[in-house]
Amino acid sequence: MSSSTLTVTDNRTGKTYDVPIEDGTVRAMDFRQMKTGTDDFGLMLYDPAFMNTASCRSSITYIDGDRGILEYRGYPIEQLAENCTFLEVAYLILFGELPTQTQLDHWVYEITHHTMLHETTKKFMESFRYGSHPMTMLISTVAALSTVYPCATNVHDPASRLLQIKRLIAKMPSIAAMSYRHSLGFPYVYPDNELSYTENFMNMLWKMVEPKYAANPVLARALEVLFILHADHEQNCGSSVMRAVGSSLASPYLAIASAASALSGPLHGGANEEVIRMLDEIDSKADIPAYVESVKRGKRKLMGFGHRVYKNFDPRATLIKKIAEQVFGVTGQNPKLEIALELERIALQDDYFISRKLYPNVDFYSGLIYQAIGFKPEMFTVLFAIPRTVGWLAQWQEMIVDPAQKIARPRQIYTGSRQRQVVPIAERDAVEVTA
Ligand code: SDX
């Protein structure tokens, strides 16, 4: 039986090293010993964008990109989407086990009774221009909550961590709804503790002058399942930022604001908004071939397609297509669906996409549903951030309690000048510089 080691010969010195292989990885620090002399720092591993680097050990989410498998704490996403509520799945992701009814009732009570926001938050929100992007308002307001809860920096205190986790999960929909109402100039709606997590979110978004908001049960369940599908996705860009910012022991409110900032980018969670803008640009099915050609020429990306991990169908996209049918049964079909389906059909037959293993991801169809339910495209990434708060907090907590983790601080390959001499400004020559 061959041993689980990597034997490396450094041809610069002729020395050979045996490096242990564990869990399909080698430790980068085991390469530091490989030097050409006493003043040599030792070998580092160079991996831009961490294409092939494991940053942690985690038991939260399992993804098999080749088989299109996604599991939270070992449960297939399909089963969770079919059988659970969002707060039930949030409990699973955070604590590792599905709750009993008693545990769930207590958890729901706790989250429900943390949905209110400090009144100063309303005044903070009112300082935004009415046309401000809701995602930017959400990010700024979450960061501002760190001033309301300064004790949140007690990150090594389990009780304090749990209190901030409940507050953040509970308050994200309240902040999101406030940013939406602010953008329309509507009065804010306070939480209704008699409603479920998603029904209350819809209440805070859309209640007008009726005495009691009544959510459409089909739309409320669709939103619930969409929240479940977006809750966590292992070491994606946003979660990596959450871990990195959290590793300096910063407030979890500031870490969540940082993770949400990463999510807002069009290559990440911002893609759902870009998909709708892309479908708006493709006026009719007749325009699709020319659009696809422009993508193949590198003029633009096919938003909602491709994934760093999934080289097969994103299982969430498959489930989201099913939700679309249920939602459109209530709202009427989104007219852009036909264009999206034709775009997918053409792309999946084209070697450019097949050879690069580009399939629809979680963002390709979600925006069509959000739009049909009544959300503006600017709200789509906010709808991603609300459930992903659960995943970010689970990843943060796992990092905080992991004895192998410390402050994140990558190294670099230095390519700049060395030991230059300062010349008096009067003697300097103008050098053309570019950003
Ligand atoms: C999310 O990581 C996660 O888990 C993220 C996420 C989560 O739940 O947290 O799943 C959520 O962010 C989903 C992804 C949403 N983003 C988009 O839909 C934007 C469009 N997609 C691409 O930008 C891209 O596919 C990424 C960013 C998603 C992945 O990029 P990679 O892994 O860095 O791949 P790449 O850019 O190196 O692409 C490889 C090749 C390139 O072509 P060549 O240089 O080899 O010729 O594929 C091409 C790319 O140009 N390509 C695309 C494409 N995506 C990749 N070409 C056209 N359209 C695309 N969408």
Side-chain angles (χ1 to χ4, degrees):
M1 165 75 176
S2 58
S3 67
S4 286
T5 58
L6 192 67
T7 299
V8 178
T9 299
D10 186 342
N11 293 316
R12 301 172 299 174
T13 61
K15 287 185 181 174
T16 298
Y17 305 84
D18 283 334
V19 176
I21 296 172
E22 192 181 358
D23 298 321
T25 67
V26 290
R27 295 181 73 91
M29 283 303 290
D30 285 344
F31 288 76
R32 183 70 74 77
Q33 61 183 315
M34 302 173 194
K35 301 174 183 241
T36 56
T38 52
D39 61 349
D40 184 349
F41 179 78
L43 284 185
M44 288 194 291
L45 303 184
Y46 176 52
D47 186 13
F50 315 119
M51 297 285 284
N52 193 40
T53 293
S55 62
C56 64
R57 290 177 178 279
S58 179
S59 60
I60 299 169
T61 294
Y62 175 77
I63 301 174
D64 181 326
D66 293 326
R67 296 181 179 80
I69 292 173
L70 170 58
E71 296 170 354
Y72 293 155
R73 300 288 189 178
Y75 290 92
I77 191 71
E78 294 80 5
Q79 289 190 36
L80 296 172
E82 179 73 27
N83 301 296
C84 299
T85 66
F86 171 66
L87 286 184
E88 193 176 356
V89 172
Y91 186 100
L92 169 70
I93 290 172
L94 282 158
F95 307 116
E97 297 296 337
L98 284 168
T100 62
Q101 190 60 57
T102 306
Q103 290 169 327
L104 181 59
D105 292 346
H106 176 70
W107 175 242
V108 170
Y109 177 90
E110 288 290 298
I111 298 297
T112 301
H113 290 81
H114 278 290
T115 52
M116 291 285 282
L117 289 162
H118 195 286
E119 283 296 295
T120 55
T121 308
K122 278 172 57 180
K123 296 184 178 61
F124 179 84
M125 182 73 74
E126 273 151 19
S127 67
F128 289 108
R129 283 184 73 254
Y130 66 89
S132 300
H133 197 291
M135 191 62 184
T136 309
M137 287 196 265
L138 176 84
I139 291 164
S140 312
T141 306
V142 171
L145 280 186
S146 62
T147 65
V148 180
Y149 306 112
C151 60
T153 52
N154 298 325
V155 297
H156 291 303
D157 173 358
S160 174
R161 286 202 305 267
L162 181 58
L163 178 55
Q164 313 318 325
I165 286 170
K166 291 174 186 173
R167 281 171 168 159
L168 277 157
I169 293 172
K171 296 179 194 306
M172 286 298 264
S174 306
I175 297 170
M178 278 175 70
S179 63
Y180 176 72
R181 301 283 289 198
H182 178 77
S183 68
L184 297 174
F186 287 170
Y188 302 131
V189 175
Y190 282 94
D192 179 340
N193 287 354
E194 292 176 357
L195 299 176
S196 72
Y197 189 80
T198 43
E199 288 170 340
N200 180 43
F201 178 45
M202 295 165 79
N203 160 60
M204 295 187 290
L205 285 165
W206 291 317
K207 182 177 180 295
M208 297 307 281
V209 292
E210 68 273 31
K212 180 90 172 170
Y213 180 78
N216 178 299
V218 173
L219 302 186
R221 179 62 194 163
L223 203 50
E224 186 115 39
V225 175
L226 285 162
F227 279 6
I228 289 170
L229 297 178
H230 285 81
D232 190 56
H233 214 237
E234 57 134 282
Q235 304 314 313
N236 58 81
C237 183
S239 296
S240 302
V241 166
M242 182 77 191
R243 282 177 170 260
V245 172
S247 74
S248 72
L249 308 187
S251 163
Y253 296 89
L254 299 177
I256 289 280
S258 307
S261 300
L263 185 74
S264 69
L267 294 187
H268 194 10
N272 53 20
E273 180 178 346
E274 294 305 315
V275 167
I276 287 296
R277 301 202 190 294
M278 173 180 74
L279 296 175
D280 282 342
E281 200 180 327
I282 302 173
D283 210 18
S284 71
K285 285 185 184 180
D287 299 335
I288 291 176
Y291 193 91
V292 170
E293 283 310 308
S294 71
V295 170
K296 291 162 66 176
R297 288 198 307 274
K299 298 288 184 205
R300 51 168 59 95
K301 290 197 179 293
L302 190 58
M303 301 312 280
F305 258 68
H307 200 276
R308 174 64 55 78
V309 176
Y310 290 123
K311 298 309 173 189
N312 194 319
F313 265 88
D314 182 334
R316 301 168 296 179
T318 307
L319 290 167
I320 287 173
K321 276 177 91 171
K322 288 181 189 165
I323 297 169
E325 289 166 25
Q326 297 157 14
V327 168
F328 296 156
V330 171
T331 63
Q333 183 168 298
N334 189 321
K336 298 192 182 77
L337 176 65
E338 288 306 316
I339 293 183
L341 290 168
E342 179 65 2
L343 185 56
E344 177 187 8
R345 186 190 66 79
I346 292 176
L348 293 185
Q349 290 175 344
D350 189 302
D351 186 57
Y352 175 92
F353 300 94
I354 297 169
S355 63
R356 292 168 175 82
K357 298 186 177 181
L358 303 178
Y359 295 93
N361 59 47
V362 68
D363 291 314
F364 189 64
Y365 286 104
S366 55
L368 290 172
I369 298 173
Y370 294 144
Q371 192 172 49
I373 292 178
F375 292 103
K376 302 186 298 183
E378 292 77 11
M379 280 295 286
F380 293 1
T381 311
V382 170
L383 297 170
F384 197 146
I386 292 172
R388 186 52 63 88
T389 296
V390 169
W392 290 331
L393 289 167
Q395 298 285 346
W396 167 72
Q397 178 146 257
E398 190 176 62
M399 178 276 302
I400 290 286
V401 303
D402 182 347
Q405 293 294 338
K406 51 175 66 179
I407 187 168
R409 202 265 183 236
R411 310 307 294 251
Q412 65 173 15
I413 297 171
Y414 181 66
T415 59
S417 308
R418 295 289 320 280
Q419 298 297 317
R420 301 172 75 182
Q421 297 301 311
V422 174
V423 173
I425 191 164
E427 299 168 24
R428 292 176 201 162
D429 298 326
V431 176
E432 281 305 309
V433 291
T434 53

